[in-house]
Amino acid sequence: LFSLKPKCHREIVVNEVSFVRKCIGADSSHGDLWGKLICTNFKVSFITHDALPMQRFQVANRLLGEHDVPLACVEQVVTVNDAKGKQKVLCSNQKLKFNPTELILYCKDFRIIRFRFDEAGPQSAKKVCLAIAHYSQPADPQLLFGFEYIGKQYYGSLAINSIPTRVNGVDPGGGLQMPLFDRPSEWDREIKRTGAAEWRVCSINEGYVVSPSLPEYFVVPVSLADQDLKQYLCFFTAHRIPLWCWNHPNGSALVRMASISDPLQQRKLDQRICSAITKSHPQRSDVLKSDLDKNLPNIQDIQAAFVKVRQICVIEPFEESEEKWLSSMESSRWLEYVRAFLKHSAEVVYLLEGKHVSVILQEEEDRDLSCVVSSLVQLMLDPHFRSLTGFQSLVQKEWVMAGHRFLDRCNHLKKNDKEESPLFQLFLDCVWQIINQYPAAFEFTETYLTVLSDSMWIPVFSTFLFNCPQQRTENSMDFAKSKCIPVGEEKALRFPPVWDWSQQFTPKDQALFNNPMYVGKGATCVQNGAVKSFRRTKKNYSSTLRGMPSSLRNILMDGHDSLTLTRRNSLVSRLKPDFSQIREVVESPTERFFRDWVSRPADLQGMLIPQLLPSHLALWRLYFLRWVPEASIPKGGPVTAYHKLSQLADEVEKLQSQLRQYKGATPASTLTSTPSAPPSDHSRMYFKAGSTHEPSSTPEYLSSSFPFSPVGNMCRRSILGTPLSKFLNGAKIWLSTETLANEAL
């Protein structure tokens, strides 16, 4: 009756069980779905012909069905036997001594999904549970589904020069309108784009002979010869010498580097590196160093905060209006850490923009905190990175090619929980905070950020599968050799990047990524019948801050110019100044710089600095609460405004098209809106302008969770849940102590 049609090439069914009930309601079986539960080598699938009581998903993923969960997204597999009162957290290659009556999947994207086996065969149910536990915890990177996905199909047809041209029928990144920074020419273009005349592309790491975690090509000062760099290598942690990130128009450079492992060489190397960076500056400006390890939370702190947020949003009952819920959210320290990274990045922006000095971001291995800060600094200073293609190139440059440990930090292999940390999720949250304050400055939406985060758990894309480019090359070469796959001159398999969104979504669904309010270089408007470039009005986005004392209005600095930030001291407590002393506070240069900036109208194509009072930062509801039914607002939330704005933007685009046709300027068939917009009916909006005969009311299926749905994706029971105290002690298990005491070993 039920059959699985694999959406992915090389996907095979491992185990299955029929007559399974997927739980929709938490306390009753009303509205539950009946069908078949299937485990493949890629995902957990539930196949049903039943319809849910309401329309849920408007966006269809080409790789996943509406009831599918990628195995890489499964955080924990819990089996339950009602009769014996036992529960067990299943790990790979474990035995299960009881027949499960219930399966609970805790997912990394905050879902909890429950299946009941009341009518299913006991042995079949047990086998499926064991298969899910085993395949969701691979022992080796080459067991991740991405290797099978790109296997033989990838090389079905080779180009004349023996370089593969298609991956599962899709161009593997070659047709993308964005740089992947895997070749010197793309670094050269970035150097020219930013005007970094005194910087050059270095190729001493070709073949990863110098450092396994660095890219093959990176940018260094012109005054540093390759021979000098090779001499300095051994003194830096993991041989990670300074890497150029970005150049300010005034000549100041943003650089990142690992710490110097030899203390005897510390001063001499610092002088040589700083001297080279100074020579690359037109005004020979100073170079300041920011030690991120001393000034920011560490990866364990960030992971602990994220676990607590998941506890509050997922496990515990949701009652946002209660003071307990809000205080629990504050005590998680997640928003405090988001603020800390935004604040530190703003301080670096001040040094580059206000003091015209170059900045070195230093971290022990230069692969975690520096990824977040360097990306945020560039996002605040360079409007190019606020476009869709620009933002994607930023992530590719500062995260993927710079060697962020995605394999370890995402814990794809479930090997070392101590290495797991949501650095990339923290970065996306910081980006969302800026978008929330300056919505018209970004070409992309929070839906795009959420989908990008979810893509970390689809083990197909090279973007999030590996710790560095060298690891991808080495593993793909080994895999190709073991499977006797001819790889031609490249000598390694080529994974598709996540940036090829056609792998996951149709052009229409990709339109949800586009922000109708975007004011960018490609945006146009109609003035007096003529299409002109958009010129910003004098509306001040920061007008609400006028009249406030500068000490309260610009709590971005600590009252001095140093890049210090107390890690353990609560930021919230520091936002309570003594009002009697406000007039006596001497304004620092940093405070004066940001006061002057806030007093001017916001230039959406210029520098953007986020406001950092606690009242300015909010919980990213779409990401954290999208599966929580109690938090969903039917026909409400930001999507209602997005719906109306999209229709208006679509109507404006149609009018512009008609105007061009009327003036004979450009045929309508050749019009495109923005370079990154998908070609869908010459409109970049998901919601189109309706005719006069169509109703203009908000569609029934819209809610604050759109395009995601809490229905069938969040099933909590009161007996489940971990006390917050267990998480404070670093507990990984989501079950309570009492439950674990009854667990069958």
Side-chain angles (χ1 to χ4, degrees), residues 11-206:
E11 183 181 3
I12 59 173
V13 174
V14 176
N15 234 306
E16 60 184 43
V17 57
S18 301
F19 306 109
V20 176
R21 177 159 54 92
K22 182 180 182 181
C23 302
I24 301 300
D27 300 317
S28 69
S29 60
H30 179 70
D32 288 354
L33 307 179
W34 288 90
K36 177 186 287 188
L37 181 63
I38 301 172
C39 175
T40 76
N41 58 341
F42 170 49
K43 63 180 183 284
V44 179
S45 284
F46 181 72
I47 311 298
T48 180
H49 294 321
D50 295 343
L52 283 174
M54 60 176 286
Q55 191 175 11
R56 304 123 5 256
F57 295 92
Q58 297 304 306
V59 178
N61 192 300
R62 288 174 163 175
L63 301 178
L64 299 166
E66 59 185 359
H67 297 288
D68 291 350
V69 180
L71 289 168
C73 188
V74 176
E75 174 82 14
Q76 213 168 63
V77 181
V78 179
T79 52
V80 181
N81 183 285
D82 294 336
K84 296 183 178 181
K86 294 181 178 180
Q87 299 188 9
K88 184 176 180 64
V89 179
L90 284 182
C91 298
S92 182
N93 294 320
Q94 274 192 336
K95 293 182 179 179
L96 183 59
K97 294 185 178 180
F98 60 79
N99 292 324
T101 57
E102 183 175 345
L103 170 67
I104 309 171
L105 299 180
Y106 293 90
C107 303
K108 291 185 177 182
D109 62 1
F110 282 37
R111 283 183 288 177
I112 302 178
I113 303 177
R114 288 176 53 214
F115 301 98
R116 294 286 303 179
F117 302 124
D118 301 321
E119 307 295 330
Q123 289 301 314
S124 297
K126 179 189 287 189
K127 289 179 180 179
V128 163
C129 294
L130 291 171
I132 294 172
H134 177 72
Y135 280 86
S136 64
Q137 303 174 58
D140 186 87
Q142 294 179 33
L143 295 176
L144 292 166
F145 179 70
F147 285 89
E148 290 291 341
Y149 181 70
I150 65 168
K152 295 179 181 178
Q153 172 75 6
Y154 182 107
Y155 293 91
S157 60
L158 297 180
I160 297 176
N161 59 358
S162 298
I163 296 177
T165 57
R166 309 290 285 180
V167 179
N168 291 277
V170 179
D171 187 341
L176 290 176
Q177 299 299 314
M178 58 161 284
L180 295 177
F181 295 101
D182 57 355
R183 60 196 67 183
S185 60
E186 294 176 337
W187 286 105
D188 274 326
R189 280 197 293 271
E190 186 67 6
I191 288 174
K192 292 176 182 177
R193 189 189 70 82
T194 58
E198 296 299 316
W199 296 80
R200 67 178 180 88
V201 180
C202 176
S203 58
I204 63 172
N205 199 38
E206 276 188 336

Side-chain angles (χ1 to χ4, degrees), residues 661-675:
Q661 281 184 291
Y662 176 77
K663 293 194 167 226
T666 307
S669 60
T670 63
L671 289 177
T672 56
S673 52
T674 60

Side-chain angles (χ1 to χ4, degrees), residues 35 66 120 253-254 303 307 364 532 572:
E66 59 185 359
L254 180 65
Q303 170 67 3
V307 169
E364 178 66 25
K532 299 181 179 180
V572 177

Side-chain angles (χ1 to χ4, degrees), residues 64 116 144 242 310 405 431 436 438 453 488 609 648 663:
L64 299 166
R116 294 286 303 179
L144 292 166
R310 180 163 54 191
R405 300 177 184 270
V431 175
N436 195 41
Y438 303 100
S453 176
I609 301 296
L648 288 173
K663 293 194 167 226

Side-chain angles (χ1 to χ4, degrees), residues 302-419:
I302 296 168
Q303 170 67 3
F306 192 69
V307 169
K308 291 173 191 173
V309 170
R310 180 163 54 191
Q311 164 76 11
I312 297 164
C313 295
V314 176
I315 306 297
E316 296 175 350
F318 176 83
E319 296 182 24
E320 188 181 10
S321 60
E322 288 195 3
E323 184 179 344
K324 179 182 176 182
W325 193 92
L326 297 171
S327 61
S328 296
M329 187 60 66
E330 181 182 356
S331 67
S332 73
R333 306 190 76 177
W334 176 258
L335 284 176
E336 177 186 327
Y337 294 157
V338 168
R339 180 185 184 272
F341 277 88
L342 287 169
K343 178 179 183 293
H344 195 86
S345 301
E347 292 171 341
V348 176
V349 165
Y350 160 69
L351 295 176
L352 292 165
E353 171 86 14
K355 299 194 72 174
H356 294 197
V357 299
S358 296
V359 177
I360 297 176
L361 305 176
Q362 183 167 325
E363 186 187 8
E364 178 66 25
E365 258 197 69
D366 179 38
R367 301 176 70 178
D368 290 308
L369 309 182
S370 56
C371 296
V372 181
V373 176
S374 64
S375 300
L376 289 176
V377 169
Q378 293 174 69
L379 199 72
M380 294 178 190
L381 284 170
D382 194 337
H384 167 68
F385 295 125
R386 298 172 214 150
S387 67
L388 186 59
T389 54
F391 181 78
Q392 294 179 162
S393 70
L394 177 67
V395 174
Q396 184 72 22
K397 175 167 66 84
E398 298 298 328
W399 293 79
V400 181
M401 299 310 293
H404 178 65
R405 300 177 184 270
F406 278 110
L407 184 70
D408 294 341
R409 298 298 178 248
C410 296
N411 205 8
H412 285 317
L413 304 183
K414 312 289 196 302
K415 279 188 174 181
N416 191 345
D417 294 341
K418 293 182 180 179
E419 294 291 323

